[in-house]
């Protein structure tokens, strides 16, 4: 049998194409991170560029919700190629991600652009901390793809530069962000592992759309509220009670301090110039339902981030009962249920780009 020269070339080309294809896949790095719900909120920066917060905060990672981010470097790219939830990223989101990749590129000394694909299994940008899980997953996948080997505090510091609360999605379980004074000492640490306490977050979705004012813009407004300085000054008291409630697994103690902290943050938002009102009538409806549920002897409490959706927390045995009650509220479109989650982690590379 004869093999023609063009035939050999064609075969060689096909083999080369396959090698390049698999090399790309091998080089791609995928990370998963969970969003977190803040028990003691971060609101306002003492330094904006590096997102050094005005106050410390405490949160719980949410295991059922996740961002999955895959990244590969490609020397042939003229710019970063960014896909979010299967679509080319909008310019505002793309710019924020490119700026973050620049930080990683400067740190690694590698200038190559990247192909990046990220997706959430929950509504994006509606007060369920998609930026927290997003930048935590990106910090981990991106630093690995660019050859950096960062320990947990260093990863947390990096994630913070993308979105403040993202630094809390790097460590596992129940997490405290030590505010620090500058870039070197502002990072998050784990207070307790996810299995420390079977606390569950039921997120009552009353609005799955994107919020109009991002939290980045909101942080800038915090200092315009006359209430912000009192809130910041009182932070150590709230942090101490929250830490104790978590360590002692004391739901009643946690309920009081978390609801107070949430209302203090929203009071600051509502009294900023211009005023920020994230709540909808349905938000208040869920708050009232939670207070009613509690009056029936079922332990539960609420908290709300920069959005209209209400996080309802309870221990695992009360979840079915509370879920039925939340779903019975007409303005609640769905309920996302999540126990405490693990740290940001690398997983086997995805094949999709
Ligand atoms: O990380 P950012 O910039 O999206 O800010 C998060 C702000 C809150 O979610 C409202 C509170 C918090 O501590 O997560």
């Amino acid at each position: 049998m004869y093999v023609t020269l063009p035939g050999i070339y064609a075969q060689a080309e096909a083999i080369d194409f396959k090698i390049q294809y698999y090399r790309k896949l091998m080089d791609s790095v995928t990370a998963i991170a969970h969003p977190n719900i803040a028990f003691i909120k971060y609101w306002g920066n003492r330094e904006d560029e590096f997102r050094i917060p005005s106050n410390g905060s405490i949160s719980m990672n949410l295991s059922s919700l996740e961002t999955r981010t895959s990244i590969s470097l490609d020397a042939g790219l003229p710019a970063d190629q960014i896909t979010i939830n299967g679509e080319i990223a909008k310019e505002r989101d793309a710019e924020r991600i490119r700026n973050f990749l620049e930080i990683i590129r400067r740190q690694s000394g590698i200038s190559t652009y990247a192909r990046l694909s990220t997706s959430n299994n929950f509504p994006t940008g509606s007060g369920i901390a998609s930026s927290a899980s997003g930048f935590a997953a990106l910090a981990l996948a991106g630093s690995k793809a660019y050859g950096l080997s960062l320990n947990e505090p260093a990863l947390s510091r990096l994630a913070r530069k993308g979105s403040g609360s993202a630094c809390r999605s790097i460590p596992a379980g129940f997490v405290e962000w030590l505010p620090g004074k500058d870039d070197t000492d502002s990072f998050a640490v784990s207070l307790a592992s996810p299995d420390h306490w079977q606390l569950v977050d039921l997120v009552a979705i009353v609005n799955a759309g994107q919020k109009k004012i991002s939290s980045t813009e909101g942080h800038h407004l915090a200092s315009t509220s006359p209430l912000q300085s009192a809130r910041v000054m009182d932070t150590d008291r709230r942090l101490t009670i929250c830490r104790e409630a978590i360590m002692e697994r004391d739901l009643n103690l946690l309920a009081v301090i978390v609801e107070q902290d949430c209302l203090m943050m929203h009071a600051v938002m509502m009294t900023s110039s211009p005023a920020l009102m994230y709540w909808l009538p349905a938000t208040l409806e869920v708050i009232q339902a939670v207070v009613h549920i509690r009056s029936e002897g079922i332990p539960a409490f609420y908290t709300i981030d920069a959005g209209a959706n209400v996080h309802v927390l309870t221990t695992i045995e009360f979840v079915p009962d509370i879920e039925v009650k939340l779903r019975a509220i007409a303005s609640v479109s769905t309920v996302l249920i999540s126990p405490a989650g693990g740290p940001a982690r690398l997983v086997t590379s995805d094949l999709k780009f």
Side-chain angles (χ1 to χ4, degrees):
M1 175 181 136
Y2 296 100
V3 182
T4 62
L5 210 52
I8 290 174
Y9 281 135
Q11 269 182 24
E13 231 172 71
I15 290 168
D16 187 50
F17 178 79
K18 273 194 183 145
I19 290 172
Q20 297 301 334
Y21 178 71
Y22 285 113
R23 181 167 291 153
K24 271 213 174 80
L25 291 184
M26 273 169 19
D27 285 344
S28 96
V29 180
T30 299
I32 284 178
H34 303 291
N36 62 74
I37 178 63
F39 292 159
I40 302 299
K41 311 285 187 194
Y42 147 56
W43 196 246
N45 292 323
R46 53 189 277 179
E47 199 280 318
D48 277 327
E49 190 193 343
F50 292 115
R51 296 174 198 265
I52 310 303
S54 304
N55 63 278
S57 51
I58 293 179
S59 58
M60 179 179 99
N61 287 348
L62 302 176
S63 75
S64 322
L65 313 182
E66 62 181 40
T67 297
R68 175 179 287 252
T69 299
S70 298
I71 178 165
S72 68
L73 308 198
D74 187 337
L77 285 177
D80 293 315
Q81 220 175 68
I82 301 166
T83 313
I84 300 180
N85 294 327
E87 287 173 15
I88 308 267
K90 292 193 191 85
E91 186 43 35
R92 190 173 94 153
D93 299 330
E95 189 190 354
R96 193 163 167 195
I97 292 173
R98 279 197 303 267
N99 290 342
F100 188 75
L101 288 171
E102 271 316 313
I103 297 174
I104 298 179
R105 282 193 272 266
R106 274 201 300 278
Q107 218 164 313
S108 69
I110 299 172
S111 56
T112 311
Y113 290 116
R115 187 170 282 116
L116 187 149
S117 154
T118 185
S119 55
N120 298 325
N121 70 349
F122 60 95
T124 304
S126 57
I128 315 176
S130 54
S131 65
S133 50
F135 282 101
L138 182 54
L140 180 54
S143 59
K144 264 275 177 271
Y146 279 90
L148 296 170
S149 186
L150 305 180
N151 62 17
E152 191 177 277
L155 261 179
S156 177
R157 287 175 45 225
L158 175 61
R160 188 197 72 233
K161 293 171 197 165
S163 166
S165 56
C167 76
R168 294 191 312 240
S169 283
I170 296 290
F174 299 84
V175 174
E176 177 163 2
W177 178 2
L178 311 170
K181 285 186 211 56
D182 57 36
D183 184 32
T184 61
D185 60 357
S186 184
F187 58 87
V189 295
S190 181
L191 291 174
S193 64
D195 56 8
H196 165 71
W197 194 7
Q198 290 191 312
L199 206 59
V200 178
D201 185 5
L202 297 98
V203 196
I205 305 292
V206 298
N207 180 14
Q210 294 253 136
K211 61 192 174 214
K212 295 211 171 55
I213 307 283
S214 71
S215 26
T216 301
E217 293 165 80
H219 291 299
H220 292 144
L221 295 178
S223 62
T224 66
S225 164
L227 305 186
Q228 169 72 347
S229 55
R231 191 190 76 89
V232 170
M233 266 170 57
D234 179 63
T235 307
D236 280 346
R237 179 189 70 87
R238 302 192 308 283
L239 287 173
T240 304
I241 296 172
C242 184
R243 245 180 255 126
E244 187 194 325
I246 291 171
M247 296 332 280
E248 301 297 322
R249 302 185 191 89
D250 184 337
L251 193 123
N252 293 333
L253 186 61
L254 192 61
V256 172
I257 202 64
V258 171
E259 289 187 359
Q260 186 185 47
D261 183 87
C262 163
L263 296 176
M264 284 169 85
M265 180 185 74
H266 283 274
V268 167
M269 291 165 163
M270 291 174 196
T271 50
S272 302
S273 306
L276 271 183
M277 173 64 80
Y278 285 111
W279 294 9
L280 293 172
T283 309
L284 200 51
E285 226 181 304
V286 180
I287 290 178
Q288 284 173 334
V290 173
V291 173
H292 182 71
I293 287 169
R294 203 160 48 219
S295 75
E296 293 176 324
I298 301 170
F301 61 91
Y302 65 83
T303 188
I304 305 149
D305 277 345
N309 300 315
V310 184
H311 295 250
V312 182
L313 288 115
T314 189
T315 44
I316 194 158
E317 61 272 36
F318 300 102
V319 170
D321 201 0
I322 295 178
E323 184 187 2
V324 168
K325 289 181 159 58
L326 292 176
R327 285 189 187 276
I329 303 171
S331 47
V332 172
S333 58
T334 190
V335 178
L336 309 173
I337 300 178
S338 185
R345 61 195 184 278
L346 292 167
V347 293
T348 316
S349 283
D350 272 350
L351 299 185
K352 286 188 276 148
F353 266 106

